[in-house]
């Protein structure tokens, strides 16, 4: 406690040096230390941004925390990339801590995902499950402030935890304040009362400013979860003695009366009184305080003088290296049969689950009763059991966000969002937690997740089952986006996406799933062998122009993906020999060399997408092509896409008017060839 108090005082006295925003644990020390002291190296924990005392109790040195405070190169958590008390750690002698974001409450879903992963490893007696020397099972602790409990995503996590009876402790530190929002303004009930609505969630209240009571409460909660393997919520009432953050000062909005009320519950005087009661002398206490002050001053001076990060490290750790860099296996096995895309994906997942016992597959309606609304998971539930293939509620945030926690435990999740139009509730987790994890943890916690998303219009699907989302996805840095257009690519890319240690979103066009849309029969291909893997980031020439037309300057290239491949092929029939077609296959990473080399070869380029055109990925690509290939262009880069409407209309005639088609593409080809 003396360390934490001196750290807070030192930061306050050196505000010009401590220029990056930070919070301290003053007032919360007792419950945090009581928790951190009792966690074991085989446990998992997600501290939140005020939990510096918990980190100290787990064994992290003040100097280590200060390196992050000052964004120094040797910051052991993020290398100067993230805020104070935003830890991550894989140290063998400490509890395991995945990447922590600043978004209040957003850690609750990934942390519950960790408990989901621990439970699965238990169920399968996996060698990946780390236990104590006596076989003690791990617990998962999710620490959060009371203000974040009102977040909708917290309820998704609590619902899943009680439904599956996961081994997780939700430690809610309740100090009655958001920033300037009081508890009375922000909530109708506290966390303890709220927990009563989740059947099967055990709950406790404790005075979090009293160390003895806090230690006993956490001892009980940890023992309960370690033995019973069920969730519990602990509400710890604590004072807030520091500022909300260094940039939002308490005196701006809190009254003297409120500050005095909170100061009366300061855990430090309470612990001093307890020590004196048990025979510790005032001189001993003064010695502790003196030594702590000297130690913290020395640590701070050392941290201030530590080196800054080298600017040339800024691009490191965006992604973890993938083992899949070349195309391997048999794409066209002798005697192979043609399959539709949906079956190629189904077979790929089945082969993955046979080869990797740590792989699981879940999402809406993918369980054995239905096997997916497109039958994309048919038979998997029967073959692998309800513990590996199962339904979830309509919880896109949980479906996506939990994969961060699952990945941290060593489980390899494949999940599905039922329609692309409904992915948006999961974007918060995708952006805040998943995409940043590898970068902000310096590569310690890449999130291995494969997110399957049926996408696109397929004839009368209407405004909420026909949308395209690739441009929105591609605005997120730190994820990969794949978009196959045929069965062979689907299988090879899905295998590579699963093996990639980074988050991959696979967009699967509903109109190509069964090749029922006229003109898409070529999406059916010979099914590759089980060993076939197609690396991400490699496009393909699906139709070459005639060399004579290229030499004479009478050719162009169409660069597209998904359904655009088939619109391009149909339109190109009117221009035999004049058109070369590139299927991107992966939108990020993009096969830039293939794109630029092809454009330079022809001098004329048409970019084709199903998305609404304005501000789309394809328009951005047009700008990059003009920048990279300007001296080789004989005409402007043309773009063809859907009309800029808010949604795809239900009426099939209106839908057809909105979307590209071979006729529209043919007109664009004719225009471009005329230059």
């Amino acid at each position: 406690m003396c360390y934490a108090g001196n750290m807070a005082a030192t930061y306050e006295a050196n505000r010009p040096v401590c220029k990056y925003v930070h919070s301290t644990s003053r007032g919360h020390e007792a419950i945090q230390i009581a928790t951190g002291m009792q966690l074991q190296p085989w446990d998992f924990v997600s501290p939140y941004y005020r939990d510096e005392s918990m980190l100290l109790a787990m064994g992290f040195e003040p100097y280590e925390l200060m390196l992050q405070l000052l964004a120094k190169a040797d910051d052991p958590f993020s290398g100067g990339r993230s805020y104070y008390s935003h830890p991550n750690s894989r140290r063998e002698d400490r509890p395991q801590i995945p990447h922590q974001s600043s978004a209040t409450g957003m850690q609750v879903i990934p942390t519950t995902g960790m408990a989901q992963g621990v439970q699965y490893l238990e169920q399968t007696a996996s060698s990946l499950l780390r236990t104590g020397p006596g076989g003690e099972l791990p617990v998962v602790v999710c620490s959060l402030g009371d203000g974040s409990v009102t977040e909708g995503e917290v309820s998704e996590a609590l619902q899943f935890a009680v439904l599956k009876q996961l081994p997780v402790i939700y430690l809610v530190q309740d100090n009655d304040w958001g920033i300037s929002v009081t508890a009375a303004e922000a909530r109708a009930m506290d966390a303890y009362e709220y927990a009563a609505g989740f059947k099967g969630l055990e709950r406790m209240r404790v005075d979090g400013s009293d160390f003895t009571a806090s230690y006993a409460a956490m001892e009980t909660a940890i023992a309960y979860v370690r033995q019973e393997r069920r969730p519990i919520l602990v509400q710890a009432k604590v004072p807030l003695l520091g500022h909300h953050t260094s940039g939002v000062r308490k005196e701006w909005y809190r009254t003297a009366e409120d500050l005095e009320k909170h100061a009366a519950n300061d855990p430090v005087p309470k612990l001093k009184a307890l020590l004196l009661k048990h025979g510790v002398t005032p001189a001993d206490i003064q010695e502790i305080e003196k030594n702590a002050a000297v130690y913290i001053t020395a640590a701070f001076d050392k941290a201030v003088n530590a080196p800054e990060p080298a600017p040339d490290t800024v691009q490191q750790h965006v992604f973890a290296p993938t083992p899949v860099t070349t195309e391997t296996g048999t794409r066209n096995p002798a005697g192979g049969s043609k399959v539709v895309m949906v079956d190629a994906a189904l077979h790929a997942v089945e082969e993955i689950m046979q080869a990797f016992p740590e792989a699981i597959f879940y999402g809406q309606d993918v369980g054995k009763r239905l096997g997916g609304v497109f039958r994309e998971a048919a038979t998997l539930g029967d073959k692998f059991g309800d513990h590996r293939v199962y339904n979830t509620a309509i919880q896109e945030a949980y479906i996506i966000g939990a994969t961060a926690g699952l990945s941290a435990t060593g489980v390899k999740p494949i999940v599905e969002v039922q329609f692309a139009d409904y992915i948006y509730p999961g974007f918060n987790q995708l952006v805040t937690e998943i995409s940043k994890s590898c970068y902000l943890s310096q590569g310690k916690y890449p999130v291995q997740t494969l997110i399957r998303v049926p996408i696109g219009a397929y004839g009368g699907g209407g405004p909420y089952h026909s949308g395209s989302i690739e441009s929105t996805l591609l605005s997120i840095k730190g994820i990969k986006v794949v978009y196959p257009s045929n069965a062979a690519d689907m299988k090879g890319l899905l295998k590579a996406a699963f093996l990639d240690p980074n988050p991959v979103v696979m967009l699967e066009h509903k109109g190509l799933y069964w090749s029922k849309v006229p003109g898409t029969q070529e999406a059916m291909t010979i099914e590759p062998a089980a060993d076939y893997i197609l690396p991400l980031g490699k496009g393909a020439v699906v139709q070459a122009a005639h060399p004579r037309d290229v030499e004479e300057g009478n050719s162009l290239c169409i660069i597209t993906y998904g359904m655009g491949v088939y619109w391009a092929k149909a339109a190109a029939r009117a221009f035999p020999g004049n058109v070369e077609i590139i299927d991107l296959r992966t939108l990020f990473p993009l096969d830039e060399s293939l794109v630029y080399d092809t454009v330079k070869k022809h001098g004329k380029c048409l970019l084709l997408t199903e998305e609404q055109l304005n501000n789309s990925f394809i328009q951005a690509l047009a700008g990059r092509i003009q920048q990279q290939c300007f001296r080789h262009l004989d005409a402007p880069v043309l773009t063809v896409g859907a009309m800029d409407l808010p949604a795809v209309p239900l009426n099939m005639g209106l839908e057809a008017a909105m979307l590209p088609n071979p006729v529209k593409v043919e007109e664009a080809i004719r225009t471009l060839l005329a230059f």
Side-chain angles (χ1 to χ4, degrees):
M1 286 192 187
C2 288
Y3 280 174
N6 277 282
M7 289 160 72
T10 300
Y11 304 160
E12 185 68 12
N14 292 273
R15 287 175 62 188
V17 177
C18 304
K19 57 189 175 184
Y20 301 110
V21 65
H22 58 272
S23 296
T24 71
S25 58
R26 282 294 287 123
H28 294 229
E29 299 100 325
I31 186 64
Q32 290 183 17
I33 294 170
T35 302
M37 288 175 69
Q38 299 184 71
L39 293 176
Q40 301 297 333
W42 56 90
D43 292 328
F44 294 85
V45 58
S46 288
Y48 86 124
Y49 61 82
R50 201 178 290 283
D51 278 346
E52 65 182 357
S53 286
M54 187 183 295
L55 296 174
L56 292 171
M58 286 190 285
F60 292 96
E61 291 294 328
Y63 175 67
E64 294 178 283
L65 305 189
M66 292 171 183
L67 288 172
Q68 188 171 52
L69 171 84
L70 301 172
K72 296 292 188 173
D74 294 331
D75 158 22
F77 306 128
S78 69
R81 290 174 166 87
S82 199
Y83 312 100
Y84 184 58
S85 194
H86 284 59
N88 56 79
S89 176
R90 284 194 179 273
R91 287 183 56 164
E92 289 291 317
D93 61 341
R94 310 281 164 83
Q96 303 301 289
I97 308 173
H99 156 70
Q100 302 299 297
S101 79
S102 277
T104 56
M106 296 307 97
Q107 79 274 30
V108 182
I109 283 178
T111 311
T112 306
M114 283 193 285
Q116 183 184 348
V118 167
Q119 184 185 72
Y120 176 72
L121 296 178
E122 286 181 62
Q123 290 172 336
T124 56
S126 172
S127 61
L128 296 172
L129 181 68
R130 188 180 174 199
T131 58
E136 298 92 343
L137 292 169
V139 301
V140 178
V141 174
C142 178
S143 178
L144 64 159
D146 60 295
S148 62
V149 176
T150 57
E151 289 273 6
E153 292 188 10
V154 174
S155 70
E156 289 193 21
L158 296 181
Q159 184 80 252
F160 197 91
V162 296
L163 178 67
K164 300 294 185 179
Q165 289 293 281
L166 301 179
V168 58
I169 301 166
Y170 299 103
L171 172 58
V172 180
Q173 300 175 52
D174 188 347
N175 61 29
D176 275 337
W177 284 96
I179 299 180
S180 66
V181 179
T182 65
E185 292 174 296
R187 68 191 191 200
M189 66 198 81
D190 66 20
Y192 179 84
E193 294 164 330
Y194 186 59
F198 294 89
K199 184 179 179 181
L201 179 61
E202 191 58 70
R203 57 192 178 132
M204 298 172 60
R205 270 195 174 120
V206 64
D207 179 357
S209 69
D210 183 318
F211 179 78
T212 305
S214 295
Y215 193 95
M218 293 311 298
E219 185 176 42
T220 300
I222 290 170
Y224 172 78
V225 176
R226 208 178 293 286
Q227 295 297 322
E228 300 297 325
R229 318 307 288 157
R230 298 174 61 189
I232 187 171
L233 183 143
V234 179
Q235 183 211 17
K237 194 70 176 176
V238 291
L240 178 59
L241 302 183
H243 305 286
H244 170 71
T245 66
S246 56
V248 182
R249 317 289 294 171
K250 59 187 178 182
E251 60 268 17
W252 294 352
Y253 56 90
R254 295 176 66 183
T255 65
E257 180 184 15
D258 177 72
L259 292 171
E260 184 179 345
K261 174 186 171 184
H262 281 250
N265 280 319
D266 188 335
V268 177
K270 288 185 177 184
L271 185 55
K272 279 188 190 180
L274 181 66
L275 293 173
L276 291 169
K277 179 180 176 182
H278 284 275
V280 180
T281 68
D284 288 336
I285 291 176
Q286 289 173 6
E287 186 70 13
I288 291 171
E289 291 174 332
K290 176 184 173 182
N291 290 341
V294 171
Y295 183 80
I296 293 304
T297 297
F300 184 74
D301 290 343
K302 183 180 177 183
V304 169
N305 292 310
E308 299 286 328
D312 61 7
T313 65
V314 70
Q315 290 184 298
Q316 294 176 0
H317 305 300
V318 176
F319 292 108
T322 177
V324 179
T325 56
T326 57
E327 186 173 2
T328 58
T330 306
R331 182 178 175 98
N332 293 297
S337 301
K338 282 191 174 184
V339 293
V340 292
M341 278 183 65
V342 73
D343 284 347
L346 172 65
H347 298 162
V349 173
E350 181 176 346
E351 290 163 5
I352 286 168
M353 297 189 74
Q354 288 170 343
F356 295 90
E358 64 271 33
I360 63 172
F361 182 32
Y362 66 86
Q364 295 170 37
D365 299 304
V366 301
K368 60 186 177 185
R369 189 177 298 111
L370 180 62
V373 295
F374 299 101
R375 303 295 288 161
E376 71 281 7
T379 74
L380 294 179
D382 290 315
K383 290 177 179 176
F384 297 104
D386 293 336
H387 65 301
R388 295 189 69 189
V389 180
Y390 50 89
N391 294 327
T392 65
I394 303 172
Q395 294 182 334
E396 288 84 3
Y398 189 87
I399 291 168
I400 290 174
T403 65
L406 285 158
S407 176
T409 68
V411 177
K412 302 181 188 299
I414 304 171
V415 302
E416 181 176 311
V417 173
Q418 200 164 74
F419 288 91
D421 308 77
Y422 299 133
I423 197 174
Y424 295 103
F427 258 71
N428 196 13
Q429 289 290 324
L430 194 59
V431 174
T432 303
E433 305 296 334
I434 292 174
S435 69
K436 295 177 173 60
S437 183
C438 187
Y439 184 67
L440 295 181
S441 69
Q442 296 188 98
K444 292 192 290 294
Y445 282 97
V447 179
Q448 181 170 9
T449 178
L450 171 53
I451 303 168
R452 298 180 60 190
V453 185
I455 191 172
Y458 55 108
Y464 293 101
H465 295 83
S466 308
S468 293
I469 60 167
E470 55 265 34
S471 291
T472 312
L473 284 169
L474 290 164
S475 70
I476 305 170
K477 312 310 172 190
I479 66 171
K480 300 182 180 183
V481 181
V482 179
Y483 204 140
S485 69
N486 61 69
D489 288 350
M490 169 75 89
K491 189 170 186 180
L493 288 168
L494 197 150
K495 292 282 185 76
F498 174 81
L499 294 171
D500 199 304
N502 303 288
V504 181
V505 180
M506 174 161 279
L507 302 177
E508 306 174 8
H509 201 292
K510 302 185 295 291
L512 300 178
Y513 260 163
W514 299 94
S515 288
K516 289 184 177 179
V517 174
T520 62
Q521 288 72 26
E522 290 181 15
M524 295 176 61
T525 68
I526 299 293
E527 181 173 2
D531 64 351
Y532 180 64
I533 302 174
L534 178 61
L536 309 189
K538 302 294 183 183
V541 179
V542 296
Q543 177 175 304
H546 196 284
R548 180 190 64 252
D549 291 299
V550 176
E551 185 178 347
E552 294 175 353
N554 295 325
S555 67
L556 60 78
C557 60
I558 300 178
I559 298 169
T560 187
Y561 56 94
M563 186 63 77
V565 171
Y566 300 96
W567 293 329
K569 284 183 175 182
R573 294 191 188 105
F575 308 92
N578 300 118
V579 178
E580 189 152 315
I581 302 172
I582 300 297
D583 180 359
L584 293 175
R585 303 200 291 199
T586 302
L587 307 186
F588 190 90
L590 184 69
D591 193 343
E592 292 185 345
S593 60
L594 176 63
V595 170
Y596 299 150
D597 289 348
T598 304
V599 172
K600 291 173 182 177
K601 173 182 172 182
H602 297 281
K604 301 184 183 73
C605 176
L606 172 64
L607 302 181
L608 173 61
T609 181
E610 183 173 326
E611 274 198 299
Q612 292 93 326
L613 197 55
N614 198 29
N615 299 319
S616 65
F617 156 69
I618 220 72
Q619 278 196 339
L621 180 57
R624 289 158 67 185
I625 289 171
Q626 306 227 60
Q627 187 177 52
Q628 295 294 325
C629 306
F630 179 75
R631 294 182 182 277
H632 300 269
L633 291 173
D634 298 322
V637 176
L638 293 191
T639 56
V640 174
M643 293 179 180
D644 293 318
L645 303 175
V648 179
L650 179 64
N651 178 274
M652 293 176 71
L654 296 176
E655 176 188 87
M658 175 190 181
L659 296 177
N661 58 41
V663 173
K664 295 177 183 178
V665 177
E666 187 176 326
E667 291 172 358
I669 293 172
R670 188 170 289 107
T671 298
L672 201 52
L673 286 174
F675 274 89

